[in-house]
Amino acid sequence: MRTLALAIVLAIASSGTASAQQDPPIDCANAMSQHEMNQCAYMDFEKADKELNTVYKQAMKARADLDKQSAEIDPIYVGAVKALKKAQRAWIDYRDGHCDGVGYQAAGGSMQPMLIEGCRATLTTARTKELRELIEGLGN
């Protein structure tokens, strides 16, 4: 379903006779058409996803450092990196499945991509906050 939503967004974004380079930038604070709102929702998700990827890399480094410290105590305590990878994969599956479900409120309608991408942006922003808290740990 995520692929379908992306295809819809891309099809909408590429429609029209003028190229995207010639179109004026969209003022997302004042988006009026569904086309503009869909594009703005997708741009919000892209921005949130970029930030998530940056913070995830920081969290992976922090987890690797923790594993290194744990290995010095006892190798049985190593596993922070593995746990974070497992959690992140599960979270991505959850986010995408949940947001696809949210999109069904407007199944086949022009606002379905906006609902999906808006949901993805919201959950991605929340996950980024969780990862930041994980990096901070117990006051580190």
Side-chain angles (χ1 to χ4, degrees):
M1 185 62 195
R2 186 172 114 204
T3 305
L4 175 61
L6 183 57
I8 291 169
V9 170
L10 293 175
I12 291 169
S14 65
S15 66
T17 56
S19 73
Q21 294 173 344
Q22 295 172 347
D23 291 338
I26 296 172
D27 178 7
C28 289
N30 297 304
M32 298 298 282
S33 71
Q34 190 61 56
H35 171 73
E36 291 175 336
M37 289 184 270
N38 290 348
Q39 285 187 311
C40 291
Y42 184 71
M43 290 186 303
D44 286 346
F45 167 68
E46 283 186 317
K47 180 180 175 186
D49 193 52
K50 183 178 178 180
E51 178 69 13
L52 173 77
N53 288 325
T54 298
V55 174
Y56 178 73
K57 288 176 185 173
Q58 295 168 0
M60 285 297 290
K61 182 185 179 320
R63 299 290 93 181
D65 291 347
L66 184 59
D67 274 350
K68 185 178 178 183
Q69 292 170 5
S70 297
E72 293 172 4
I73 298 168
D74 189 334
I76 196 167
Y77 298 121
V78 174
V81 167
K82 183 178 178 181
L84 179 56
K85 285 180 183 179
K86 180 180 177 182
Q88 193 66 13
R89 286 184 193 118
W91 175 82
I92 290 169
D93 285 344
Y94 164 77
R95 179 200 62 195
D96 292 346
H98 175 75
C99 292
D100 285 347
V102 167
Y104 279 103
Q105 295 176 72
S110 61
M111 69 185 264
Q112 185 176 12
M114 180 188 72
L115 293 176
I116 293 169
E117 299 305 332
C119 175
R120 290 173 72 199
T122 298
L123 292 182
T124 300
T125 299
R127 178 64 177 157
T128 301
K129 182 180 180 222
E130 292 172 354
L131 291 174
R132 281 196 176 103
E133 291 169 356
L134 185 64
I135 294 167
E136 293 169 9
L138 298 173
N140 295 332

